[in-house]
Amino acid sequence: MANLRQASLRHANLALVARTVLGAGSPPSRAEVASTTSLTRSTVSRLVDELVAGGVLAEVGSVVGGPGRPGRPATPLVASTGRFAALGLQVGVGHLAARLVDLSGTVLAERHVVADLAGSRPGPALRRLRTLAAGVLGAVPAGCHVVGAGLALPGIVDADEGRLLRAPNLGWADVVPGPMLSAVLGGLGLRVGNEADLAAHAFAHPAPGRDSEPQDFVYLSGEVGIGGAIVVDGGVMAGRHGWAGEIGHVCVDPDGPACACGSTGCLEQYAGRLALLAAAGLDAATTPAEMVARVRDGDEKAQAAIRAAARALGVALAGVVNVLDIPTMVLGGHLAQVGELLAPEIEQILGRRVLSAAWVRPRVVVAPDDPAPGATGAALLALDDLVRDPAGVLGTS
Amino acid sequence: MANLRQASLRHANLALVARTVLGAGSPPSRAEVASTTSLTRSTVSRLVDELVAGGVLAEVGSVVGGPGRPGRPATPLVASTGRFAALGLQVGVGHLAARLVDLSGTVLAERHVVADLAGSRPGPALRRLRTLAAGVLGAVPAGCHVVGAGLALPGIVDADEGRLLRAPNLGWADVVPGPMLSAVLGGLGLRVGNEADLAAHAFAHPAPGRDSEPQDFVYLSGEVGIGGAIVVDGGVMAGRHGWAGEIGHVCVDPDGPACACGSTGCLEQYAGRLALLAAAGLDAATTPAEMVARVRDGDEKAQAAIRAAARALGVALAGVVNVLDIPTMVLGGHLAQVGELLAPEIEQILGRRVLSAAWVRPRVVVAPDDPAPGATGAALLALDDLVRDPAGVLGTS
């Protein structure tokens, strides 16, 4: 009984130390971990040694004169690279992606294909995804353990059942992807989530070389449609059923155009990728970079389309800020690629339409350009199980 | 040191037992409190005895054959009535209220006056409120201890500083009401909050004779404008700065009428009390009951005004449900008084505009008719301090 209690205390403390290091904005020393966790320095040192030996954490260089003991260098701790990873998959309306992502958030291998899946059947699309996944799993570096898999889907999801309930822009409803992917997953468990939630999860993840991110933000994931997620204290607010954050279907104008969801005037009918290109008189294959170039070159139709999208985003997001009191907006996906054009106008509208703007000015942040951040978030979701209980991969020593 | 630890454990357990009884949907027995709190039955009995003797809790009748010991009646526990109370104050755009509310949520004394405070100066209004407060405090029943005071204000508030930052419909900005009320408050601390947040807090409070309420809901407080609050797990979600829930300023139509907040097309410009009456061609003194009668009598202009308000509420609330995944809406204030007319139309729009409506159908609940639920919520907020640490009023036995 005493041994059982000790074992469970050790598990809990390993998890606490791992979470503290992996969630830190900048790499902490052992002394800083002790201070954050209220564990003794000797306990922390023992647990860190275990996590380093087991390949969960790593020590980076040495900094003399850090907050450790005088004369003794403080060694910053980070997530290990390349030792534990998960498979992250993404079905977008316009693409498929498979990634191998390790605990540090580094992409170790990747397959990405552009594919028009609007109105597609799930079977063929998931078979193509399976091929991409097999390619990535065939490229796992030596010494790297794949501990799980995640799948990002552009719609509302029942995460417990691993079921996609509805993805209006794919035209899919009631799809359970797990069994169709099991041949390539082997024994790996598959976590399923909404792509915007998972892209936001990836954005909230401290990444090497990036400044620490805001802990509260609203994330917009632009593709054919627009997904959204709300992040509070670094965690995605899923809502009671896991369906929070559907900002793409906030109404901008009740008399506006019909949306695939059955409603009218939804945000994505103004600022979704296809809507934006159509308003600019450009065909669906035009890249966001070409769109930016046209706006810069003075193309009036393209300029008007960007203004209309920014106005719709400003109106919808002002409502979100008024309701949630979260003043930081992050533009992802195609919205990031045209973000420099959108951000100033959106900020101006938020300043006018948000009741509390005089006290805390809302701001718009442009996410890094990445074709499949949902795949990275899906892999990180699968890795969360390891972070929650690192003892599982360390053995029972 | 051991005594200090014991004392703090006793304080924490008294608070746990008090919170468990006061937060229960139906009056629990000692055995049920023990089961909920994981404390032993003998510990619970000792703590309940203290709380009953101290006047925080009360025992109601006896139920033979309850879940207590066989043959021994289980006595349901409730909040005491009339022993501890707080002063709840409310400044509305159309009224002032002062209430004495006890731990059970019962209003022991009340003063309420209709007053047009749109564009008023804070000084005279707060002096009138002071007179109402003095009247209520002069009517405190014998044996009743007033432990604190709260004030509900129709705008965004800095609760820590006790400051009203901005109330567009009053035309007030940067007002600190505490000092102007201190002459009548004596030594009572004053908690300040947003009126919709506090009305929602009152609605979430288990009330005698009312069915248990939903734990997650969106509350709309209709007066001249429309305030809002988001309740999750029975608690008001205040947001990072305390400004969440401003649903009255969600945009329904960017090209709509100008709002006092500086924006355009805000929900309250369609469904606020004055907007509704103006659309119906009725003067500002018309009561909601008269409005209902006109609609029932076939007055087409009144019917169109209700339809337009329901449509605006449906559009704005659909956005809130899509973003928050909370499918229960509660209509309070004047929206409750015309709620039977609004609810079916709003539910229909939510069914069409909420992405997840096919799985969880959004529903609209009409709050009880009450001219100043914010005052009740303000008093309950002040009483929360007692519930959090009941040892303070019990002495240190």
Side-chain angles (χ1 to χ4, degrees):
Chain A
M1 187 65 183
N3 280 343
L4 260 180
R5 269 207 215 107
Q6 276 176 12
S8 113
L9 188 66
R10 173 177 160 267
H11 285 205
N13 284 340
L14 282 167
L16 179 61
V17 169
R19 206 167 56 235
T20 303
V21 173
L22 298 180
S26 62
S29 67
R30 290 170 192 232
E32 285 163 335
V33 173
S35 151
T36 306
T37 59
S38 298
L39 297 170
T40 65
R41 289 216 195 175
S42 63
T43 302
V44 167
S45 258
R46 193 165 35 79
L47 295 166
V48 165
D49 286 343
E50 270 197 75
L51 290 164
V52 170
V56 174
L57 300 185
E59 297 175 304
V60 282
S62 291
V63 181
V64 180
R69 273 189 262 157
R72 200 195 167 187
T75 311
L77 298 163
V78 293
S80 71
T81 307
R83 182 71 178 272
F84 293 106
L87 178 68
L89 304 172
Q90 180 166 6
V91 175
V93 183
H95 68 105
L96 293 165
R99 283 179 173 179
L100 189 71
V101 180
D102 71 12
L103 276 173
S104 75
T106 303
V107 177
L108 304 176
E110 177 170 29
R111 297 284 187 282
H112 186 263
V113 294
V114 172
D116 180 5
L117 300 177
S120 66
R121 284 182 304 126
L126 291 172
R127 275 194 293 276
R128 289 181 71 183
L129 184 64
R130 199 167 63 191
T131 305
L132 299 184
V136 165
L137 290 174
V140 175
C144 177
H145 302 273
V146 182
V147 299
L151 169 60
L153 293 164
I156 67 171
V157 159
D158 184 327
D160 292 334
E161 290 195 11
R163 186 185 294 271
L164 175 69
L165 296 175
R166 184 179 180 203
N169 287 311
L170 287 176
W172 296 8
D174 201 28
V175 177
V176 182
M180 305 204 54
L181 299 168
S182 63
V184 72
L185 294 178
L188 293 178
L190 181 72
R191 306 277 301 260
V192 170
N194 170 273
E195 61 86 20
D197 288 355
L198 293 172
H201 185 53
F203 188 79
H205 186 82
R210 211 173 62 190
D211 287 346
S212 68
E213 296 307 334
Q215 288 299 291
D216 295 359
F217 59 89
V218 174
Y219 186 95
L220 287 188
S221 167
E223 206 206 350
V224 168
I226 291 182
I230 300 151
V231 175
V232 176
D233 285 332
V236 174
M237 197 180 97
R240 181 65 60 175
H241 313 91
W243 305 331
E246 287 294 351
I247 300 165
H249 299 281
V250 166
C251 182
V252 172
D253 178 354
D255 300 319
C259 182
C261 77
S263 188
T264 54
C266 294
L267 172 61
E268 68 178 41
Q269 294 306 318
Y270 302 85
R273 192 170 65 83
L274 294 183
L276 191 56
L277 291 172
L282 299 169
D283 72 62
T286 311
T287 65
E290 286 165 353
M291 176 102 188
V292 173
R294 278 174 183 271
V295 170
R296 298 259 183 249
D297 290 348
D299 178 330
E300 286 181 16
K301 217 167 165 190
Q303 286 173 342
I306 285 286
R307 267 198 310 276
R311 182 170 185 257
L313 285 160
V315 167
L317 290 172
V320 173
V321 182
N322 277 322
V323 169
L324 287 175
D325 183 20
I326 297 176
T328 305
M329 312 288 117
V330 179
L331 302 181
H334 84 271
L335 295 174
Q337 295 174 302
V338 295
E340 56 182 316
L341 301 177
L342 295 170
E345 173 87 6
I346 297 173
E347 283 185 345
Q348 199 178 43
I349 296 171
L350 293 175
R352 205 163 60 232
R353 291 191 170 270
V354 170
L355 204 60
S356 58
W359 293 274
V360 176
R361 194 92 189 160
R363 70 193 183 103
V364 176
V365 175
V366 177
D369 191 4
D370 179 342
T376 297
L380 291 172
L381 179 72
L383 286 166
D384 284 347
D385 293 333
L386 187 159
V387 177
R388 256 193 298 279
D389 186 17
V393 297
L394 298 179
T396 52
S397 65
Chain B
M1 188 62 185
N3 279 343
L4 260 180
R5 269 206 215 109
Q6 275 175 12
S8 110
L9 188 65
R10 172 177 161 268
H11 285 205
N13 284 340
L14 281 167
L16 180 60
V17 169
R19 206 167 56 234
T20 303
V21 173
L22 298 179
S26 61
S29 66
R30 290 170 192 230
E32 285 163 335
V33 173
S35 149
T36 306
T37 59
S38 299
L39 297 171
T40 66
R41 289 215 194 175
S42 62
T43 302
V44 166
S45 259
R46 191 164 37 76
L47 296 166
V48 165
D49 285 343
E50 271 198 75
L51 290 164
V52 170
V56 174
L57 299 184
E59 296 174 305
V60 283
S62 289
V63 181
V64 179
R69 273 189 261 156
R72 199 192 166 190
T75 310
L77 297 164
V78 293
S80 72
T81 308
R83 183 72 177 269
F84 293 106
L87 178 68
L89 304 173
Q90 181 166 6
V91 175
V93 183
H95 69 106
L96 293 166
R99 283 180 173 179
L100 190 70
V101 180
D102 71 11
L103 275 173
S104 75
T106 303
V107 177
L108 303 176
E110 178 171 27
R111 298 286 187 278
H112 187 262
V113 295
V114 171
D116 180 7
L117 300 177
S120 66
R121 284 182 304 126
L126 291 171
R127 277 196 290 277
R128 289 182 70 184
L129 184 64
R130 199 167 63 191
T131 306
L132 300 184
V136 164
L137 290 175
V140 175
C144 177
H145 301 273
V146 182
V147 299
L151 168 60
L153 294 164
I156 67 171
V157 160
D158 184 327
D160 292 334
E161 291 194 12
R163 186 186 296 270
L164 175 69
L165 296 175
R166 184 180 180 202
N169 288 311
L170 286 175
W172 295 8
D174 201 28
V175 177
V176 182
M180 307 206 53
L181 298 168
S182 63
V184 72
L185 294 178
L188 293 177
L190 181 71
R191 305 277 301 261
V192 170
N194 170 272
E195 60 86 20
D197 287 356
L198 293 172
H201 185 50
F203 188 79
H205 186 81
R210 212 174 60 191
D211 288 347
S212 67
E213 297 306 335
Q215 289 298 292
D216 295 1
F217 58 89
V218 174
Y219 185 95
L220 287 188
S221 166
E223 207 206 351
V224 168
I226 290 182
I230 300 151
V231 175
V232 177
D233 285 333
V236 173
M237 198 181 96
R240 182 63 61 177
H241 314 91
W243 305 331
E246 288 293 351
I247 300 165
H249 298 281
V250 166
C251 182
V252 172
D253 177 356
D255 300 319
C259 182
C261 76
S263 187
T264 54
C266 295
L267 172 61
E268 67 179 42
Q269 294 305 318
Y270 301 86
R273 192 170 65 82
L274 294 183
L276 192 55
L277 291 172
L282 299 169
D283 73 62
T286 311
T287 65
E290 286 165 352
M291 176 101 186
V292 173
R294 278 175 182 271
V295 170
R296 298 260 183 248
D297 290 347
D299 178 331
E300 286 181 14
K301 215 166 166 192
Q303 287 174 340
I306 286 286
R307 268 199 309 275
R311 182 170 186 255
L313 286 161
V315 167
L317 289 173
V320 173
V321 181
N322 276 324
V323 170
L324 286 174
D325 183 19
I326 297 177
T328 304
M329 311 288 116
V330 179
L331 302 181
H334 85 271
L335 294 175
Q337 295 173 302
V338 296
E340 55 182 318
L341 301 178
L342 295 170
E345 173 87 7
I346 297 173
E347 284 185 343
Q348 199 179 44
I349 296 170
L350 292 176
R352 205 163 58 232
R353 291 191 170 271
V354 170
L355 203 60
S356 58
W359 294 273
V360 176
R361 193 93 189 159
R363 71 194 183 102
V364 176
V365 174
V366 177
D369 191 5
D370 179 343
T376 297
L380 291 172
L381 179 72
L383 285 166
D384 284 347
D385 293 334
L386 188 158
V387 177
R388 257 193 298 277
D389 186 16
V393 298
L394 298 179
T396 54
S397 65

